[in-house]
Amino acid sequence: MSLYFITGNKDKFAEVKAILPDVKQLNIKLREIQEIDARKIIKAKLLEAFKYRKAEFIVEDTSLYLECLNGLPGPLVKWFLKAIGNEGLFNIVKKLGNNRAEAKTIIGYAKNPKKIYYFEGSIKGKIISPRGKFGFGWDPIFQPDGFSKSFAELTQEEKNKISMRRIALEKLKKFIEK
């Protein structure tokens, strides 16, 4: 049976394919429920994917959790970015006096709708004033601990070596190989 990563993002697919060479990209639009719990979002997407075909699927959610907002925006980060942008997120942490954040990827993997497995990768860091030209989304404002650059200042190769997606993918790879 074929393994499909459901995404329209070529950079995410390249990162996944580097770790799971046999994975295929499936660019289909799945409904995304609005929920604070990323696992519920992933589960809903996987269940919908099985309506299209029988296969093994991977779906991921990458979220940004701000300590000063008790974990918000989390999986809702796309809507925060749409409403206030990176500058707005930076201004929030600046005003609240706590720039600590966690970038987290959760990957859902399923061979059938009854058994879904989750693999998590996370990186702690801080929110900074937007910097850099690489990446997308909130990459310009997230600076991982131990680095002096934002994700958007790292090359794709540098970011992929340390990314939360890579951490989650390595866990998934070990699971699949068993």
Side-chain angles (χ1 to χ4, degrees), residues 70-173:
N70 294 322
L72 280 174
L76 304 174
V77 68
K78 148 172 87 173
W79 302 111
F80 275 63
L81 287 173
K82 190 173 183 176
I84 62 174
N86 281 318
E87 195 69 45
L89 283 171
F90 169 69
N91 287 333
I92 287 172
V93 301
K94 188 172 151 187
K95 285 178 184 163
L96 294 176
N98 180 351
N99 68 353
R100 299 299 304 152
E102 182 176 15
K104 188 183 296 185
T105 295
I106 299 176
I107 294 176
Y109 165 77
K111 286 185 181 182
N112 64 64
K114 292 184 171 88
K115 277 223 162 158
I116 298 173
Y117 301 92
Y118 300 96
F119 305 89
E120 186 176 306
S122 69
I123 298 177
K124 302 247 187 221
K126 63 184 177 182
I127 301 302
I128 60 169
S129 182
R131 296 192 320 236
K133 60 183 178 176
F134 301 117
F136 56 95
W138 41 265
D139 285 355
I141 61 169
F142 185 77
Q143 181 178 309
D145 286 347
F147 288 78
S148 59
K149 296 179 179 180
S150 72
F151 269 176
E153 292 174 301
L154 298 173
T155 65
Q156 192 69 39
E157 295 77 29
E158 289 172 322
K159 182 183 170 193
N160 288 353
K161 285 180 185 175
I162 63 158
S163 84
M164 55 279 169
R165 187 174 294 108
R166 178 180 202 89
I167 295 165
L169 282 167
E170 294 289 352
K171 292 175 183 178
L172 171 60
K173 182 179 179 181

Side-chain angles (χ1 to χ4, degrees), residues 5 12-24 169:
F5 176 43
K12 285 183 182 182
F13 179 67
E15 189 174 354
V16 170
K17 190 145 182 83
I19 294 169
L20 300 170
D22 295 332
V23 73
K24 296 175 184 165
L169 282 167

